[in-house]
Amino acid sequence: MTASEKPYVVLHNAVSANGRITGFEADQALYYALAGTWHEDATLVGSGTFLAVPGPFPEEDHHAFEPPFEIGTDNRPLLVVPDSGGRIRFWHYLKSLPFWREGIALCTGATPADHIDYLEKRHVHVVRVGEDRVDFSRALALLRDEFSIRTIRVDGGGTLNGVLLRAGLVDEISIVVSPCLAGGNPDGIFREPGVSAGTITLELIEARALENDHVWIRYRVAKCA
Ligand SMILES: NC(=O)c1ccc[n+]([C@@H]2O[C@H](COP(=O)([O-])OP(=O)(O)OC[C@H]3O[C@@H](n4cnc5c(N)ncnc54)[C@H](OP(=O)(O)O)[C@@H]3O)[C@@H](O)[C@H]2O)c1
């Protein structure tokens, strides 16, 4: 597949200074303000990311079964969720959020039939690509051809990022570094024995771009939580 046959794919993540994407409080306002940079046609959100959203969600009502509004001026992106296992059963909530105009569930031959039925009844587009897990190479080509998606911003955890990166499907990585060290990282510069603890807050001294694409960030350690 050539680059022109798939959408432009950007991973956008908030990380702690020791490279974690969980275990600290990212500045959501800053993260989402930057998320508009690419004017994405679709947001790809991992099922693991949605399953980590703390509930409870509101009860489902008749709105869940209404088709999306057909307004030509609606420029909001589409929401795309790879969910071969049919674990996302709160599409009524996702549809009620103001960020996306319509939803697409990426399913496979392994997705339970009753889940396909669940999605169709709620007017969530079903795209089947792959036997067991989602085949992203095919999925991206299909999203481009059938939904005119040219740019996708990925809001995923390490798993989705890893699958896309290893498949050679990522064009850009965007990282917003939070001024803290998140506890409990087995591989980071900050390891701690036992259970994961709180974060260590940092204050920026200086950030400088260096030769050969290096970035030098100096932080002052402000507070150990
Ligand atoms: N700091 C940040 O910027 C940031 C951003 C987003 C998320 N997060 C955090 O990341 C955590 C979730 O991360 P996660 O890694 O558990 O989940 P995730 O990356 O959000 O979701 C995993 C996704 O990968 C798919 N997948 C897994 N194995 C696959 C394979 N072999 N082939 C194709 N697709 C595959 C899954 O699809 P199936 O359902 O089909 O298996 C699922 O959609 C949450 O705590 C969330 O808050 C942080």
Side-chain angles (χ1 to χ4, degrees):
M1 178 187 290
T2 64
S4 62
E5 290 170 329
K6 73 165 189 66
Y8 186 82
V9 176
V10 52
L11 310 184
H12 180 56
N13 278 111
V15 303
S16 66
N18 57 327
R20 288 199 68 184
I21 61 164
T22 59
F24 68 102
E25 276 200 32
D27 184 328
Q28 299 287 338
L30 184 61
Y31 173 82
Y32 283 109
L34 293 170
T37 301
W38 301 273
H39 304 289
E40 78 239 37
D41 303 305
T43 319
L44 181 68
V45 184
S47 61
T49 293
F50 274 145
L51 289 169
V53 173
F57 300 110
E59 289 284 307
E60 189 175 63
D61 65 17
H62 66 279
H63 293 297
F65 302 92
E66 289 169 356
F69 287 122
E70 301 256 348
I71 340 171
T73 52
D74 191 342
N75 291 325
R76 289 175 299 168
L78 296 165
L79 170 63
V80 183
V81 185
D83 182 23
S84 60
R87 296 184 300 161
I88 303 299
R89 299 291 280 202
F90 44 86
W91 270 99
H92 66 286
Y93 169 68
L94 300 178
K95 282 176 64 177
S96 76
L97 298 174
F99 316 121
W100 302 287
R101 66 176 195 277
E102 281 183 59
I104 301 173
L106 300 180
C107 301
T108 65
T111 308
D114 80 305
H115 189 67
I116 304 291
D117 186 51
Y118 161 89
L119 294 166
E120 287 174 348
K121 285 194 169 121
R122 287 154 185 82
H123 298 276
V124 177
H125 297 277
V126 174
V127 170
R128 277 189 195 249
V129 268
E131 288 177 22
D132 181 25
R133 305 308 267 279
V134 171
D135 177 342
F136 281 103
S137 210
R138 283 175 54 204
L140 291 176
L142 207 143
L143 291 171
R144 187 182 196 278
D145 293 345
E146 295 191 10
F147 294 89
S148 301
I149 293 172
R150 296 292 186 268
T151 302
I152 290 190
R153 179 176 62 83
V154 181
D155 189 342
T159 309
L160 181 58
N161 290 348
V163 168
L164 292 169
L165 282 163
R166 282 290 174 223
L169 297 169
V170 178
D171 297 287
E172 179 178 338
I173 296 174
S174 158
I175 296 169
V176 185
V177 181
S178 284
C180 69
L181 300 172
N185 183 9
D187 303 315
I189 59 168
F190 167 38
R191 296 185 67 171
E192 54 192 340
V195 282
S196 161
T199 56
I200 295 175
T201 310
L202 307 174
E203 291 169 356
L204 184 66
I205 299 172
E206 185 184 5
R208 199 192 299 175
L210 299 179
E211 62 270 25
N212 299 326
D213 303 318
H214 290 72
V215 179
W216 184 29
I217 305 175
R218 295 173 61 210
Y219 281 120
R220 181 179 299 106
V221 176
K223 196 165 53 128
C224 290

